[in-house]
Amino acid sequence: MSRTEDLLSGIASTDGVPDLGTYPFHEPDALREAHLLDVRIEAVSARVGLLFDLRHAIDFGPGNTGVLIAAGVTECSWVAEPQSTGRTAWTVMGFDVHVGGAFVDADVFCFPKARLTITASRFDYLAVDVEDLTKVADHGLDSEEAIRANLAQWSSPVRLLGKSSTAG
């Protein structure tokens, strides 16, 4: 079984994984209300990975977790208002992808007020199931240990359910 970080590094094979078509790249609310859990930058390989908890999403398609991988990254920026708490559930309110020329621009708008912008040569989306996610964590009430136990991590074992790409 692959781990989430194997998807980011390209170690895990996606051969035989069903194609999701253009999802989530051309569906305006595809990731709406999903929680952005983590952003990992692999500077050496010019890759950025985004990890989403899909259990909150309005229309999340297959899987309880989404992994968005940007390859050939030329820009990555995160702008957010300061938070008074140590933990924040960054809820996706908008996900815009613009394909033009050799580069693809993606903007992830979150609540509370935050924006992640990435410019890359391509984006790949992988819908996965992380086993043993027993409940949805309450970021306001649960302990740090309980939250981490009920969220996907980069080290989580995953089962691949679907894939899509901005590459033709």
Side-chain angles (χ1 to χ4, degrees):
M1 185 172 271
S2 298
R3 294 175 302 151
T4 313
E5 60 193 0
D6 297 337
L7 301 173
L8 173 59
S9 64
I11 294 171
S13 172
T14 59
D15 293 341
V17 175
D19 191 336
L20 298 172
T22 61
Y23 181 89
F25 300 113
H26 297 293
E27 298 191 26
D29 289 334
L31 297 174
R32 188 170 180 84
E33 295 194 23
H35 286 185
L36 177 61
L37 301 176
D38 202 354
V39 178
R40 182 171 282 189
I41 298 172
E42 282 191 355
V44 172
S45 63
R47 295 168 70 94
V48 171
L50 283 65
L51 190 59
F52 296 95
D53 184 340
L54 300 178
R55 296 174 293 170
H56 303 275
I58 292 173
D59 175 25
F60 56 84
N64 59 22
T65 303
V67 181
L68 185 67
I69 301 166
V73 174
T74 58
E75 178 186 350
C76 180
S77 69
W78 171 259
V79 178
E81 289 185 349
Q83 301 301 304
S84 61
T85 62
R87 301 181 294 251
T88 302
W90 297 102
T91 303
V92 176
M93 301 309 290
F95 176 66
D96 295 325
V97 177
H98 305 283
V99 180
F103 292 100
V104 181
D105 296 313
D107 290 305
V108 181
F109 302 94
C110 296
F111 176 85
K113 194 173 180 180
R115 179 180 179 181
L116 175 65
T117 302
I118 302 171
T119 299
S121 58
R122 72 180 277 161
F123 285 84
D124 296 301
Y125 176 80
L126 299 161
V128 302
D129 257 339
V130 172
E131 295 179 14
D132 299 327
L133 295 182
T134 57
K135 70 172 201 156
V136 176
D138 184 325
H139 291 258
L141 298 176
D142 289 345
S143 69
E144 186 71 26
E145 182 178 282
I147 292 170
R148 290 195 180 279
N150 288 294
L151 293 176
Q153 308 288 324
W154 288 107
S155 59
S156 297
V158 296
R159 184 169 52 95
L160 291 161
L161 301 175
K163 65 182 178 181
S164 62
S165 178
T166 59

